[in-house]
Amino acid sequence: MFQLDYMDHSPLYEQIKEKIKALIISGVLKPNERVPSVRELAQSLTINPNTIHKAYKELELEGYIYSIRAKGSFVTPINAKRNQARKDDLLLEIDKLVLELAYMTIPKEQLISRIEEIYSRGRQRGND
């Protein structure tokens, strides 16, 4: 499914969380699709199941996955109301990035062009 970078200074649970988010965002993992169980992923990555559990817990808090007792964890379908808080958080992150890039004198047109490019790539993936 993916590999961890043991030379990376970020915690393993964060790497797992980010890699699963990337699989969801890119459309590799579809809405309501089952993600590997904690035990399965821990065995395939040869790490402690508690590390996987922590990553899954954060993914659930962020609204990327949901769990059903005795069934497993699944990719959460997009729901505008449920995701509003996360959208607000991400927009605040964009605000910070844009302000920093403006401070670094990146032209507004370059930022707009970059956003349009990324957005169109994301929309294309969503239509696959």
Side-chain angles (χ1 to χ4, degrees):
M1 189 170 196
F2 56 81
Q3 293 183 336
L4 299 175
D5 180 1
Y6 293 99
M7 301 301 287
D8 188 337
H9 294 294
S10 63
L12 294 177
Y13 80 91
E14 278 194 18
Q15 288 185 47
I16 294 164
K17 181 180 84 167
E18 292 304 317
K19 290 187 187 278
I20 292 175
K21 277 172 55 172
L23 291 172
I24 293 169
I25 291 167
S26 68
V28 173
L29 292 174
K30 307 285 186 216
N32 295 312
E33 184 177 341
R34 185 179 171 280
V35 296
S37 71
V38 169
R39 187 179 309 164
E40 291 168 351
L41 196 52
Q43 286 176 346
S44 74
L45 296 174
T46 60
I47 61 173
N48 190 313
N50 290 333
T51 304
I52 308 295
H53 181 72
K54 185 171 183 175
Y56 278 18
K57 193 77 166 163
E58 288 203 7
L59 285 165
E60 198 165 341
L61 287 172
E62 291 181 16
Y64 285 94
I65 64 172
Y66 65 94
S67 298
I68 300 175
R69 179 170 288 179
K71 297 282 187 201
S73 296
F74 302 84
V75 176
T76 304
I78 295 174
N79 177 323
K81 289 181 184 176
R82 185 182 315 146
N83 291 333
Q84 190 58 49
R86 181 68 180 146
K87 288 178 189 176
D88 292 343
D89 290 344
L90 291 171
L91 286 170
L92 284 174
E93 286 183 42
I94 288 175
D95 291 349
K96 291 176 191 174
L97 291 171
V98 168
L99 287 171
E100 187 172 347
L101 289 166
Y103 173 77
M104 298 174 81
T105 67
I106 301 292
K108 180 173 82 170
E109 295 75 20
Q110 186 178 352
L111 290 174
I112 292 169
S113 173
R114 182 71 176 255
I115 289 169
E116 287 174 345
E117 176 187 323
I118 293 167
Y119 194 82
S120 68
R121 281 194 317 236
R123 299 295 285 173
Q124 287 172 353
R125 286 185 187 137
N127 294 330
D128 289 346

